[in-house]
Every structure is written in C-alpha cells, then in structure tokens.
Amino acid sequence: MVEALKEALYSLLFPKETRCLACGAPVRSGELCEPCTHAWLHTAQAIRISCVDSADWAYAGLSYTQVVRSMIHRYKYECVRTAADILAEPMVRIMPDGVQGLVPVPLHPRRERWRGFNQSELLCERICAATGVSVLPALSRVRFTREQALLDPKSRERNVRGCMQVCAPVYGMRLLVVDDVVTTGSTASECVNELLNAGAAWVGVLCAAHPMGRK
Ligand SMILES: [Zn+2]
C-alpha cells in the first residue's frame, strides 16, 4: 500500500518520458516518432502467408520491415504491452467474416512465467475488444520447446511437432489462430492441424507480421 502510494507520487512528480515504441527516440505525443510513423504507414498491408498449407486462410497485417521488427522485439522481449494496440490494428482491418473464436498460440507455462504474458493472447484480447469475436484458449502446450527463432527451418518443424493439445471443444467451429509473427509457419501449422483434427470446420491464421518471401 505504502509502496503503491510512493510509486503514484513519484510518477506524478517525475512523469515518464515517452519514447518511440519502435526506435526508442523521445516523442512528444503518440507511440511512434515521426520517421517510424511514416515507415509504419507504408508497412500496413495484408500479406498472404503461403507456408501454412493446412490453413483455410492465412494472412499477416504487416510486412516484416525494420520498424515492425523493432516494435515486435520490444513488445515480446521488453514486455512493452502498449505495442499490442498498434500491432492489433492492422490485424483487425483484415479479419475474415464468420470467425467464432480467436485461438492464441499457447506458450508453455514456464515460458509465460518468464515473459510475464503471452503475446498472442494479448493480441487476441485487443482484436476481441475491437471486433467482439471472443478469445478461445483452445490449445495448450504439452511439451516445453526450444525458442523457434534460434532454430533453422527443418529443426523448427521437429521442435514443435506434437507439442500442442486441444483443450476445449472446437467441433464444427470457425477459428482463427492468432500469433505475433509467422516465419516458417511450423508453429502455426501445428496449431491448425491440431484444431482441424479435433473437428474444427474452418481454421485460419492471422498474425501481426510475416517476412515476405522467406520460407
Ligand atoms: Zn521511432
């Protein structure tokens, strides 16, 4: 209680300097500095994801440009949660019709504890707030896996095989798997396959960013 009061008083006396979510430069208002806002406007476009074969629909809201990369990095590894609002916006814009549930790509509880939040879940919550489509945590990790970013494409596939399990009724549903970045599509494919095997009628993939042309 005393600590909370102290903290409130401190932030009142010394308001935090606002910094650009992408490059860290000081900004007077908003979340991105001027050059990053400019870069951002050119980066918001629907990118088709071709590496998730089993998905009925797979798109990213943004191409993986420098400004997007930095922002996702700060979002994920420095826990800058406000970035979720900005990242979710282009995702909302390209949402397909008729989706009944947003399925976050689950983190293993150990990784979630370490990170403090699940970046996919937070994106789902933002999309839900904007569209009214509910979040359905239908998948769970049954095995701890190495971080995909550290592996080559072949090992990524092996790394995630069989690591997901459906933990909610999904039969006959139209679902959208939501993630921050889809790169080789191994994790997203694993999610899609599990949901389809459990009887989902239609499964799409929606992510914030996808590196175009990279397999
Ligand atoms: Zn910036």
Side-chain angles (χ1 to χ4, degrees), residues 91 102-105 120-121 123-124 127 176-180 204-207:
M91 298 170 82
L102 303 164
V103 182
V105 171
S120 311
E121 210 170 273
L123 287 173
C124 282
I127 298 169
L176 205 52
V177 172
V178 175
D179 207 357
D180 54 342
V205 174
L206 175 62
C207 72

Side-chain angles (χ1 to χ4, degrees), residues 20 23 33 36:
C20 171
C23 72
C33 71
C36 288

Side-chain angles (χ1 to χ4, degrees), residues 100-210:
Q100 295 167 300
L102 303 164
V103 182
V105 171
L107 289 180
H108 190 274
R110 207 195 314 167
R111 193 173 314 273
E112 188 160 342
R113 262 200 306 279
W114 170 78
R115 185 165 290 162
F117 70 108
N118 175 346
Q119 71 272 15
S120 311
E121 210 170 273
L122 202 54
L123 287 173
C124 282
E125 283 167 20
R126 298 298 193 272
I127 298 169
C128 165
T131 62
V133 178
S134 51
V135 185
L136 181 68
L139 291 165
S140 63
R141 291 247 182 191
V142 287
R143 181 161 60 75
F144 189 76
T145 53
R146 293 171 63 200
E147 183 115 33
Q148 290 287 85
L150 306 172
L151 305 170
D152 62 69
K154 269 268 159 285
S155 322
R156 286 181 186 216
E157 220 176 291
R158 260 200 312 274
N159 189 40
V160 293
R161 200 171 299 146
C163 77
M164 307 278 181
Q165 191 176 278
V166 175
C167 56
V170 296
Y171 189 83
M173 292 186 81
R174 291 173 62 87
L175 302 168
L176 205 52
V177 172
V178 175
D179 207 357
D180 54 342
V181 181
V182 167
T183 309
T184 62
S186 309
T187 307
S189 297
E190 196 65 24
C191 294
V192 170
N193 294 341
E194 285 304 313
L195 293 168
L196 288 173
N197 286 342
W202 182 98
V203 182
V205 174
L206 175 62
C207 72
H210 175 57

Side-chain angles (χ1 to χ4, degrees), residues 41-102:
L41 293 175
H42 287 281
T43 218
Q45 52 172 313
I47 308 284
R48 207 179 84 80
I49 303 168
S50 53
C51 53
V52 188
D53 306 331
S54 45
D56 290 300
W57 181 99
Y59 277 89
L62 300 158
S63 50
Y64 205 45
T65 53
Q66 183 55 44
V67 57
V68 173
R69 200 177 6 245
S70 334
M71 199 149 91
I72 288 179
H73 193 273
R74 286 170 61 87
Y75 173 44
K76 257 168 106 163
Y77 300 104
E78 296 171 34
C79 304
V80 182
R81 292 175 187 229
T82 38
D85 299 332
I86 304 182
L87 292 170
E89 206 177 90
M91 298 170 82
V92 167
R93 238 179 288 153
I94 60 167
M95 267 273 285
D97 292 331
V99 175
Q100 295 167 300
L102 303 164

Side-chain angles (χ1 to χ4, degrees), residues 19-27 31-37 67:
R19 294 196 165 268
C20 171
L21 276 178
C23 72
V27 284
E31 265 96 21
L32 293 171
C33 71
E34 219 171 288
C36 288
T37 306
V67 57

Side-chain angles (χ1 to χ4, degrees), residues 1-10:
M1 180 66 186
V2 178
E3 273 308 304
L5 263 176
K6 260 207 271 188
E7 214 169 278
L9 194 64
Y10 188 86

